[in-house]
PDB file of all heavy atoms in Angstrom:
ATOM      1  N   LEU A   1      -1.148  12.467  -0.516  1.00  0.00           N
ATOM      2  CA  LEU A   1      -0.790  11.941  -1.709  1.00  0.00           C
ATOM      3  C   LEU A   1      -1.117  12.841  -2.915  1.00  0.00           C
ATOM      4  O   LEU A   1      -0.394  12.963  -3.933  1.00  0.00           O
ATOM      5  CB  LEU A   1      -1.517  10.685  -2.011  1.00  0.00           C
ATOM      6  CG  LEU A   1      -1.031   9.392  -1.269  1.00  0.00           C
ATOM      7  CD1 LEU A   1      -2.057   8.152  -1.325  1.00  0.00           C
ATOM      8  CD2 LEU A   1       0.313   8.937  -1.694  1.00  0.00           C
ATOM      9  N   ALA A   2      -2.142  13.681  -2.781  1.00  0.00           N
ATOM     10  CA  ALA A   2      -2.436  14.594  -3.728  1.00  0.00           C
ATOM     11  C   ALA A   2      -1.385  15.623  -4.133  1.00  0.00           C
ATOM     12  O   ALA A   2      -1.103  16.166  -5.189  1.00  0.00           O
ATOM     13  CB  ALA A   2      -3.768  15.463  -3.489  1.00  0.00           C
ATOM     14  N   ARG A   3      -0.498  15.841  -2.996  1.00  0.00           N
ATOM     15  CA  ARG A   3       0.704  16.743  -3.118  1.00  0.00           C
ATOM     16  C   ARG A   3       1.730  16.205  -4.072  1.00  0.00           C
ATOM     17  O   ARG A   3       2.494  16.922  -4.627  1.00  0.00           O
ATOM     18  CB  ARG A   3       1.300  17.120  -1.753  1.00  0.00           C
ATOM     19  CG  ARG A   3       0.354  17.699  -0.787  1.00  0.00           C
ATOM     20  CD  ARG A   3       1.079  18.278   0.315  1.00  0.00           C
ATOM     21  NE  ARG A   3       1.966  17.410   1.120  1.00  0.00           N
ATOM     22  CZ  ARG A   3       2.869  17.770   1.868  1.00  0.00           C
ATOM     23  NH1 ARG A   3       3.113  18.963   2.136  1.00  0.00           N
ATOM     24  NH2 ARG A   3       3.678  16.822   2.611  1.00  0.00           N
ATOM     25  N   LEU A   4       1.812  14.873  -4.173  1.00  0.00           N
ATOM     26  CA  LEU A   4       2.765  14.132  -4.979  1.00  0.00           C
ATOM     27  C   LEU A   4       2.264  13.971  -6.434  1.00  0.00           C
ATOM     28  O   LEU A   4       3.105  13.846  -7.355  1.00  0.00           O
ATOM     29  CB  LEU A   4       3.021  12.791  -4.382  1.00  0.00           C
ATOM     30  CG  LEU A   4       3.460  12.914  -2.864  1.00  0.00           C
ATOM     31  CD1 LEU A   4       3.808  11.377  -2.413  1.00  0.00           C
ATOM     32  CD2 LEU A   4       4.736  13.787  -2.665  1.00  0.00           C
ATOM     33  N   ARG A   5       1.044  13.826  -6.644  1.00  0.00           N
ATOM     34  CA  ARG A   5       0.421  13.409  -7.986  1.00  0.00           C
ATOM     35  C   ARG A   5       0.610  14.363  -9.076  1.00  0.00           C
ATOM     36  O   ARG A   5       0.672  13.992 -10.268  1.00  0.00           O
ATOM     37  CB  ARG A   5      -0.991  13.058  -7.793  1.00  0.00           C
ATOM     38  CG  ARG A   5      -1.305  11.736  -6.978  1.00  0.00           C
ATOM     39  CD  ARG A   5      -2.748  11.535  -6.833  1.00  0.00           C
ATOM     40  NE  ARG A   5      -2.923  10.365  -6.014  1.00  0.00           N
ATOM     41  CZ  ARG A   5      -3.930  10.337  -4.992  1.00  0.00           C
ATOM     42  NH1 ARG A   5      -4.755  11.390  -4.853  1.00  0.00           N
ATOM     43  NH2 ARG A   5      -4.059   9.231  -4.317  1.00  0.00           N
ATOM     44  N   GLY A   6       0.904  15.491  -8.745  1.00  0.00           N
ATOM     45  CA  GLY A   6       1.179  16.542  -9.734  1.00  0.00           C
ATOM     46  C   GLY A   6       2.587  16.554 -10.322  1.00  0.00           C
ATOM     47  O   GLY A   6       2.947  17.286 -11.236  1.00  0.00           O
ATOM     48  N   HIS A   7       3.446  15.842  -9.762  1.00  0.00           N
ATOM     49  CA  HIS A   7       4.869  15.685 -10.276  1.00  0.00           C
ATOM     50  C   HIS A   7       5.074  14.602 -11.209  1.00  0.00           C
ATOM     51  O   HIS A   7       4.606  13.416 -10.993  1.00  0.00           O
ATOM     52  CB  HIS A   7       5.816  15.466  -9.115  1.00  0.00           C
ATOM     53  CG  HIS A   7       5.882  16.653  -8.064  1.00  0.00           C
ATOM     54  ND1 HIS A   7       6.908  17.602  -8.296  1.00  0.00           N
ATOM     55  CD2 HIS A   7       5.119  17.063  -7.080  1.00  0.00           C
ATOM     56  CE1 HIS A   7       6.669  18.473  -7.293  1.00  0.00           C
ATOM     57  NE2 HIS A   7       5.653  18.205  -6.562  1.00  0.00           N
ATOM     58  N   PRO A   8       5.638  14.882 -12.382  1.00  0.00           N
ATOM     59  CA  PRO A   8       5.795  13.913 -13.515  1.00  0.00           C
ATOM     60  C   PRO A   8       6.667  12.683 -13.023  1.00  0.00           C
ATOM     61  O   PRO A   8       6.542  11.624 -13.734  1.00  0.00           O
ATOM     62  CB  PRO A   8       6.347  14.696 -14.637  1.00  0.00           C
ATOM     63  CG  PRO A   8       7.062  15.850 -13.999  1.00  0.00           C
ATOM     64  CD  PRO A   8       6.134  16.195 -12.810  1.00  0.00           C
ATOM     65  N   GLY A   9       7.506  12.950 -12.050  1.00  0.00           N
ATOM     66  CA  GLY A   9       8.299  11.843 -11.672  1.00  0.00           C
ATOM     67  C   GLY A   9       7.841  10.891 -10.642  1.00  0.00           C
ATOM     68  O   GLY A   9       8.535   9.997 -10.106  1.00  0.00           O
ATOM     69  N   PHE A  10       6.561  11.064 -10.420  1.00  0.00           N
ATOM     70  CA  PHE A  10       5.966  10.268  -9.372  1.00  0.00           C
ATOM     71  C   PHE A  10       4.991   9.077  -9.946  1.00  0.00           C
ATOM     72  O   PHE A  10       4.155   9.274 -10.807  1.00  0.00           O
ATOM     73  CB  PHE A  10       4.966  10.998  -8.460  1.00  0.00           C
ATOM     74  CG  PHE A  10       4.370  10.373  -7.338  1.00  0.00           C
ATOM     75  CD1 PHE A  10       5.068   9.766  -6.250  1.00  0.00           C
ATOM     76  CD2 PHE A  10       2.899  10.283  -7.262  1.00  0.00           C
ATOM     77  CE1 PHE A  10       4.415   9.083  -5.259  1.00  0.00           C
ATOM     78  CE2 PHE A  10       2.240   9.634  -6.277  1.00  0.00           C
ATOM     79  CZ  PHE A  10       3.021   8.972  -5.191  1.00  0.00           C
ATOM     80  N   ARG A  11       5.226   8.031  -9.287  1.00  0.00           N
ATOM     81  CA  ARG A  11       4.282   6.809  -9.635  1.00  0.00           C
ATOM     82  C   ARG A  11       3.735   6.267  -8.298  1.00  0.00           C
ATOM     83  O   ARG A  11       4.584   6.033  -7.334  1.00  0.00           O
ATOM     84  CB  ARG A  11       5.024   5.597 -10.398  1.00  0.00           C
ATOM     85  CG  ARG A  11       4.012   4.613 -10.675  1.00  0.00           C
ATOM     86  CD  ARG A  11       4.779   3.433 -11.440  1.00  0.00           C
ATOM     87  NE  ARG A  11       3.788   2.302 -11.592  1.00  0.00           N
ATOM     88  CZ  ARG A  11       4.088   1.048 -11.292  1.00  0.00           C
ATOM     89  NH1 ARG A  11       5.342   0.814 -10.879  1.00  0.00           N
ATOM     90  NH2 ARG A  11       3.079   0.056 -11.321  1.00  0.00           N
ATOM     91  N   GLU A  12       2.513   5.971  -8.200  1.00  0.00           N
ATOM     92  CA  GLU A  12       1.932   5.486  -6.919  1.00  0.00           C
ATOM     93  C   GLU A  12       1.440   4.092  -7.103  1.00  0.00           C
ATOM     94  O   GLU A  12       0.933   3.534  -7.972  1.00  0.00           O
ATOM     95  CB  GLU A  12       0.580   6.364  -6.687  1.00  0.00           C
ATOM     96  CG  GLU A  12      -0.092   5.952  -5.417  1.00  0.00           C
ATOM     97  CD  GLU A  12      -1.445   6.801  -5.257  1.00  0.00           C
ATOM     98  OE1 GLU A  12      -1.516   7.753  -5.946  1.00  0.00           O
ATOM     99  OE2 GLU A  12      -2.278   6.461  -4.368  1.00  0.00           O
ATOM    100  N   VAL A  13       1.850   3.267  -6.083  1.00  0.00           N
ATOM    101  CA  VAL A  13       1.405   1.952  -5.892  1.00  0.00           C
ATOM    102  C   VAL A  13       0.796   1.640  -4.573  1.00  0.00           C
ATOM    103  O   VAL A  13       1.277   2.229  -3.618  1.00  0.00           O
ATOM    104  CB  VAL A  13       2.546   0.904  -6.134  1.00  0.00           C
ATOM    105  CG1 VAL A  13       3.133   1.070  -7.707  1.00  0.00           C
ATOM    106  CG2 VAL A  13       3.738   1.132  -5.263  1.00  0.00           C
ATOM    107  N   ARG A  14      -0.121   0.809  -4.516  1.00  0.00           N
ATOM    108  CA  ARG A  14      -0.818   0.465  -3.342  1.00  0.00           C
ATOM    109  C   ARG A  14      -0.655  -1.019  -3.048  1.00  0.00           C
ATOM    110  O   ARG A  14      -1.310  -1.842  -3.757  1.00  0.00           O
ATOM    111  CB  ARG A  14      -2.264   0.892  -3.330  1.00  0.00           C
ATOM    112  CG  ARG A  14      -2.448   2.422  -3.490  1.00  0.00           C
ATOM    113  CD  ARG A  14      -3.916   2.881  -3.050  1.00  0.00           C
ATOM    114  NE  ARG A  14      -3.938   4.227  -3.179  1.00  0.00           N
ATOM    115  CZ  ARG A  14      -4.868   5.086  -2.655  1.00  0.00           C
ATOM    116  NH1 ARG A  14      -5.911   4.397  -2.062  1.00  0.00           N
ATOM    117  NH2 ARG A  14      -4.842   6.399  -2.973  1.00  0.00           N
ATOM    118  N   ILE A  15       0.145  -1.356  -2.075  1.00  0.00           N
ATOM    119  CA  ILE A  15       0.459  -2.670  -1.828  1.00  0.00           C
ATOM    120  C   ILE A  15       0.730  -2.822  -0.250  1.00  0.00           C
ATOM    121  O   ILE A  15       1.197  -2.026   0.438  1.00  0.00           O
ATOM    122  CB  ILE A  15       1.864  -3.155  -2.490  1.00  0.00           C
ATOM    123  CG1 ILE A  15       1.759  -3.083  -3.995  1.00  0.00           C
ATOM    124  CG2 ILE A  15       2.175  -4.633  -1.974  1.00  0.00           C
ATOM    125  CD1 ILE A  15       3.048  -3.431  -4.648  1.00  0.00           C
ATOM    126  N   ASP A  16       0.130  -4.130   0.325  1.00  0.00           N
ATOM    127  CA  ASP A  16       0.559  -4.398   1.719  1.00  0.00           C
ATOM    128  C   ASP A  16       1.911  -4.906   1.775  1.00  0.00           C
ATOM    129  O   ASP A  16       2.295  -5.746   1.042  1.00  0.00           O
ATOM    130  CB  ASP A  16      -0.488  -5.348   2.219  1.00  0.00           C
ATOM    131  CG  ASP A  16      -1.856  -4.817   2.360  1.00  0.00           C
ATOM    132  OD1 ASP A  16      -2.100  -3.603   2.744  1.00  0.00           O
ATOM    133  OD2 ASP A  16      -2.785  -5.597   2.192  1.00  0.00           O
ATOM    134  N   LEU A  17       2.634  -4.348   2.705  1.00  0.00           N
ATOM    135  CA  LEU A  17       4.157  -4.647   2.804  1.00  0.00           C
ATOM    136  C   LEU A  17       4.202  -6.304   3.075  1.00  0.00           C
ATOM    137  O   LEU A  17       5.154  -6.920   2.554  1.00  0.00           O
ATOM    138  CB  LEU A  17       4.705  -4.042   3.977  1.00  0.00           C
ATOM    139  CG  LEU A  17       4.945  -2.483   3.941  1.00  0.00           C
ATOM    140  CD1 LEU A  17       5.670  -2.091   5.254  1.00  0.00           C
ATOM    141  CD2 LEU A  17       6.063  -2.279   2.759  1.00  0.00           C
ATOM    142  N   GLU A  18       3.285  -6.902   3.694  1.00  0.00           N
ATOM    143  CA  GLU A  18       3.456  -8.242   4.090  1.00  0.00           C
ATOM    144  C   GLU A  18       3.000  -9.205   2.883  1.00  0.00           C
ATOM    145  O   GLU A  18       3.089 -10.477   2.961  1.00  0.00           O
ATOM    146  CB  GLU A  18       2.533  -8.661   5.210  1.00  0.00           C
ATOM    147  CG  GLU A  18       1.058  -8.253   5.168  1.00  0.00           C
ATOM    148  CD  GLU A  18       0.685  -6.954   5.743  1.00  0.00           C
ATOM    149  OE1 GLU A  18       1.525  -5.899   5.517  1.00  0.00           O
ATOM    150  OE2 GLU A  18      -0.422  -6.841   6.220  1.00  0.00           O
ATOM    151  N   HIS A  19       2.596  -8.593   1.769  1.00  0.00           N
ATOM    152  CA  HIS A  19       2.305  -9.488   0.470  1.00  0.00           C
ATOM    153  C   HIS A  19       3.506  -9.700  -0.200  1.00  0.00           C
ATOM    154  O   HIS A  19       4.001  -8.984  -1.007  1.00  0.00           O
ATOM    155  CB  HIS A  19       1.306  -8.708  -0.363  1.00  0.00           C
ATOM    156  CG  HIS A  19       0.585  -9.554  -1.322  1.00  0.00           C
ATOM    157  ND1 HIS A  19       1.159 -10.235  -2.293  1.00  0.00           N
ATOM    158  CD2 HIS A  19      -0.794  -9.776  -1.420  1.00  0.00           C
ATOM    159  CE1 HIS A  19       0.260 -10.981  -2.954  1.00  0.00           C
ATOM    160  NE2 HIS A  19      -0.920 -10.731  -2.532  1.00  0.00           N
ATOM    161  N   ARG A  20       4.097 -10.869   0.023  1.00  0.00           N
ATOM    162  CA  ARG A  20       5.468 -11.180  -0.375  1.00  0.00           C
ATOM    163  C   ARG A  20       5.636 -11.239  -2.002  1.00  0.00           C
ATOM    164  O   ARG A  20       6.499 -10.485  -2.533  1.00  0.00           O
ATOM    165  CB  ARG A  20       5.857 -12.545   0.066  1.00  0.00           C
ATOM    166  CG  ARG A  20       7.321 -13.014  -0.338  1.00  0.00           C
ATOM    167  CD  ARG A  20       7.558 -14.405   0.306  1.00  0.00           C
ATOM    168  NE  ARG A  20       7.414 -14.352   1.804  1.00  0.00           N
ATOM    169  CZ  ARG A  20       7.229 -15.548   2.421  1.00  0.00           C
ATOM    170  NH1 ARG A  20       7.250 -16.709   1.887  1.00  0.00           N
ATOM    171  NH2 ARG A  20       7.162 -15.338   3.848  1.00  0.00           N
ATOM    172  N   GLU A  21       4.588 -11.900  -2.676  1.00  0.00           N
ATOM    173  CA  GLU A  21       4.649 -11.937  -4.039  1.00  0.00           C
ATOM    174  C   GLU A  21       4.547 -10.575  -4.794  1.00  0.00           C
ATOM    175  O   GLU A  21       5.317 -10.250  -5.761  1.00  0.00           O
ATOM    176  CB  GLU A  21       3.558 -12.890  -4.646  1.00  0.00           C
ATOM    177  CG  GLU A  21       3.820 -14.355  -4.257  1.00  0.00           C
ATOM    178  CD  GLU A  21       3.343 -14.707  -2.816  1.00  0.00           C
ATOM    179  OE1 GLU A  21       2.761 -13.747  -2.224  1.00  0.00           O
ATOM    180  OE2 GLU A  21       3.839 -15.732  -2.390  1.00  0.00           O
ATOM    181  N   ARG A  22       3.650  -9.781  -4.365  1.00  0.00           N
ATOM    182  CA  ARG A  22       3.572  -8.304  -4.828  1.00  0.00           C
ATOM    183  C   ARG A  22       4.796  -7.514  -4.600  1.00  0.00           C
ATOM    184  O   ARG A  22       5.089  -6.677  -5.477  1.00  0.00           O
ATOM    185  CB  ARG A  22       2.162  -7.735  -4.359  1.00  0.00           C
ATOM    186  CG  ARG A  22       0.875  -8.348  -4.860  1.00  0.00           C
ATOM    187  CD  ARG A  22      -0.253  -7.597  -4.529  1.00  0.00           C
ATOM    188  NE  ARG A  22      -0.286  -6.362  -5.360  1.00  0.00           N
ATOM    189  CZ  ARG A  22      -1.118  -5.394  -5.134  1.00  0.00           C
ATOM    190  NH1 ARG A  22      -2.037  -5.356  -4.078  1.00  0.00           N
ATOM    191  NH2 ARG A  22      -1.098  -4.249  -5.895  1.00  0.00           N
ATOM    192  N   MET A  23       5.264  -7.756  -3.466  1.00  0.00           N
ATOM    193  CA  MET A  23       6.456  -6.804  -3.013  1.00  0.00           C
ATOM    194  C   MET A  23       7.711  -7.234  -3.991  1.00  0.00           C
ATOM    195  O   MET A  23       8.430  -6.437  -4.470  1.00  0.00           O
ATOM    196  CB  MET A  23       6.786  -6.977  -1.629  1.00  0.00           C
ATOM    197  CG  MET A  23       5.884  -6.306  -0.651  1.00  0.00           C
ATOM    198  SD  MET A  23       5.913  -4.466  -0.862  1.00  0.00           S
ATOM    199  CE  MET A  23       7.658  -4.170  -0.152  1.00  0.00           C
ATOM    200  N   ALA A  24       7.765  -8.500  -4.120  1.00  0.00           N
ATOM    201  CA  ALA A  24       8.886  -9.087  -5.036  1.00  0.00           C
ATOM    202  C   ALA A  24       8.663  -8.579  -6.461  1.00  0.00           C
ATOM    203  O   ALA A  24       9.644  -8.157  -7.139  1.00  0.00           O
ATOM    204  CB  ALA A  24       8.948 -10.686  -5.011  1.00  0.00           C
ATOM    205  N   ALA A  25       7.436  -8.681  -6.893  1.00  0.00           N
ATOM    206  CA  ALA A  25       7.186  -8.204  -8.237  1.00  0.00           C
ATOM    207  C   ALA A  25       7.481  -6.692  -8.469  1.00  0.00           C
ATOM    208  O   ALA A  25       8.012  -6.150  -9.432  1.00  0.00           O
ATOM    209  CB  ALA A  25       5.748  -8.471  -8.709  1.00  0.00           C
ATOM    210  N   LEU A  26       7.176  -5.924  -7.440  1.00  0.00           N
ATOM    211  CA  LEU A  26       7.417  -4.335  -7.548  1.00  0.00           C
ATOM    212  C   LEU A  26       8.849  -4.123  -7.608  1.00  0.00           C
ATOM    213  O   LEU A  26       9.280  -3.405  -8.367  1.00  0.00           O
ATOM    214  CB  LEU A  26       6.811  -3.787  -6.161  1.00  0.00           C
ATOM    215  CG  LEU A  26       7.233  -2.302  -6.070  1.00  0.00           C
ATOM    216  CD1 LEU A  26       6.382  -1.516  -7.060  1.00  0.00           C
ATOM    217  CD2 LEU A  26       6.716  -1.815  -4.558  1.00  0.00           C
ATOM    218  N   PHE A  27       9.740  -4.775  -6.887  1.00  0.00           N
ATOM    219  CA  PHE A  27      11.140  -4.603  -6.934  1.00  0.00           C
ATOM    220  C   PHE A  27      11.748  -5.096  -8.253  1.00  0.00           C
ATOM    221  O   PHE A  27      12.642  -4.428  -8.759  1.00  0.00           O
ATOM    222  CB  PHE A  27      11.868  -5.329  -5.689  1.00  0.00           C
ATOM    223  CG  PHE A  27      11.964  -4.548  -4.386  1.00  0.00           C
ATOM    224  CD1 PHE A  27      10.932  -4.637  -3.449  1.00  0.00           C
ATOM    225  CD2 PHE A  27      12.906  -3.596  -4.163  1.00  0.00           C
ATOM    226  CE1 PHE A  27      10.944  -3.917  -2.348  1.00  0.00           C
ATOM    227  CE2 PHE A  27      13.032  -2.909  -3.097  1.00  0.00           C
ATOM    228  CZ  PHE A  27      12.040  -3.048  -2.085  1.00  0.00           C
ATOM    229  N   ALA A  28      11.153  -6.137  -8.708  1.00  0.00           N
ATOM    230  CA  ALA A  28      11.672  -6.692  -9.976  1.00  0.00           C
ATOM    231  C   ALA A  28      11.305  -5.678 -11.146  1.00  0.00           C
ATOM    232  O   ALA A  28      12.135  -5.526 -12.128  1.00  0.00           O
ATOM    233  CB  ALA A  28      11.130  -8.044 -10.232  1.00  0.00           C
ATOM    234  N   GLU A  29      10.227  -5.085 -11.008  1.00  0.00           N
ATOM    235  CA  GLU A  29       9.719  -4.176 -12.144  1.00  0.00           C
ATOM    236  C   GLU A  29      10.445  -2.893 -12.024  1.00  0.00           C
ATOM    237  O   GLU A  29      10.803  -2.284 -13.056  1.00  0.00           O
ATOM    238  CB  GLU A  29       8.130  -3.997 -12.144  1.00  0.00           C
ATOM    239  CG  GLU A  29       7.593  -3.113 -13.051  1.00  0.00           C
ATOM    240  CD  GLU A  29       6.092  -2.868 -12.900  1.00  0.00           C
ATOM    241  OE1 GLU A  29       5.551  -3.601 -12.182  1.00  0.00           O
ATOM    242  OE2 GLU A  29       5.560  -1.945 -13.715  1.00  0.00           O
ATOM    243  N   GLU A  30      10.380  -2.268 -10.783  1.00  0.00           N
ATOM    244  CA  GLU A  30      10.856  -0.997 -10.696  1.00  0.00           C
ATOM    245  C   GLU A  30      12.494  -0.800 -10.523  1.00  0.00           C
ATOM    246  O   GLU A  30      13.008   0.210 -10.959  1.00  0.00           O
ATOM    247  CB  GLU A  30      10.209  -0.207  -9.439  1.00  0.00           C
ATOM    248  CG  GLU A  30       8.842  -0.143  -9.532  1.00  0.00           C
ATOM    249  CD  GLU A  30       8.172   0.762 -10.627  1.00  0.00           C
ATOM    250  OE1 GLU A  30       9.159   1.616 -11.094  1.00  0.00           O
ATOM    251  OE2 GLU A  30       7.191   0.729 -11.102  1.00  0.00           O
ATOM    252  N   ARG A  31      13.106  -1.810 -10.008  1.00  0.00           N
ATOM    253  CA  ARG A  31      14.525  -1.774  -9.822  1.00  0.00           C
ATOM    254  C   ARG A  31      14.998  -0.438  -9.235  1.00  0.00           C
ATOM    255  O   ARG A  31      15.887   0.257  -9.904  1.00  0.00           O
ATOM    256  CB  ARG A  31      15.264  -1.984 -11.201  1.00  0.00           C
ATOM    257  CG  ARG A  31      14.861  -3.175 -11.964  1.00  0.00           C
ATOM    258  CD  ARG A  31      15.044  -4.512 -11.384  1.00  0.00           C
ATOM    259  NE  ARG A  31      16.376  -4.877 -11.007  1.00  0.00           N
ATOM    260  CZ  ARG A  31      16.990  -6.087 -10.649  1.00  0.00           C
ATOM    261  NH1 ARG A  31      15.968  -6.844 -10.277  1.00  0.00           N
ATOM    262  NH2 ARG A  31      18.073  -6.145 -10.466  1.00  0.00           N
ATOM    263  N   PRO A  32      14.502  -0.043  -8.073  1.00  0.00           N
ATOM    264  CA  PRO A  32      14.967   1.154  -7.510  1.00  0.00           C
ATOM    265  C   PRO A  32      16.431   1.177  -7.186  1.00  0.00           C
ATOM    266  O   PRO A  32      16.951   0.168  -6.724  1.00  0.00           O
ATOM    267  CB  PRO A  32      14.147   1.289  -6.268  1.00  0.00           C
ATOM    268  CG  PRO A  32      13.855  -0.149  -5.776  1.00  0.00           C
ATOM    269  CD  PRO A  32      13.691  -0.791  -7.214  1.00  0.00           C
ATOM    270  N   GLU A  33      16.951   2.412  -7.300  1.00  0.00           N
ATOM    271  CA  GLU A  33      18.423   2.510  -6.850  1.00  0.00           C
ATOM    272  C   GLU A  33      18.593   2.728  -5.290  1.00  0.00           C
ATOM    273  O   GLU A  33      19.537   2.243  -4.756  1.00  0.00           O
ATOM    274  CB  GLU A  33      19.095   3.676  -7.542  1.00  0.00           C
ATOM    275  CG  GLU A  33      19.165   3.547  -9.101  1.00  0.00           C
ATOM    276  CD  GLU A  33      19.458   4.863  -9.748  1.00  0.00           C
ATOM    277  OE1 GLU A  33      18.578   5.624 -10.055  1.00  0.00           O
ATOM    278  OE2 GLU A  33      20.744   4.972 -10.118  1.00  0.00           O
ATOM    279  N   ARG A  34      17.575   3.444  -4.822  1.00  0.00           N
ATOM    280  CA  ARG A  34      17.592   3.738  -3.293  1.00  0.00           C
ATOM    281  C   ARG A  34      16.186   3.537  -2.816  1.00  0.00           C
ATOM    282  O   ARG A  34      15.218   3.658  -3.524  1.00  0.00           O
ATOM    283  CB  ARG A  34      18.088   5.166  -3.193  1.00  0.00           C
ATOM    284  CG  ARG A  34      19.371   5.442  -3.610  1.00  0.00           C
ATOM    285  CD  ARG A  34      19.859   6.866  -3.293  1.00  0.00           C
ATOM    286  NE  ARG A  34      19.039   7.874  -3.767  1.00  0.00           N
ATOM    287  CZ  ARG A  34      19.341   9.212  -3.844  1.00  0.00           C
ATOM    288  NH1 ARG A  34      20.554   9.463  -3.460  1.00  0.00           N
ATOM    289  NH2 ARG A  34      18.514  10.025  -4.175  1.00  0.00           N
TER     290      ARG A  34
END
C-alpha cells in the first residue's frame, strides 16, 4: 500500500466486502466508472 500512497490520484478505504451498508455507501459516494 505504501507504493500507492505517494500518488495524488489514490484514495485508500478499509472495508470488509461482506459489510453491505458500508459497501453501498462507498459506491454511492465514489461513483466509480470502472
Side-chain angles (χ1 to χ4, degrees):
L1 285 171
R3 303 198 298 165
L4 308 180
R5 291 178 183 136
H7 291 268
F10 178 65
R11 179 179 174 230
E12 180 182 348
V13 293
R14 298 199 179 189
I15 299 175
D16 290 329
L17 290 176
E18 57 267 32
H19 198 298
R20 183 178 304 162
E21 291 77 15
R22 292 191 67 191
M23 288 293 291
L26 174 70
F27 274 92
E29 178 182 352
E30 297 294 343
R31 309 297 295 185
E33 297 170 274
R34 303 185 299 194

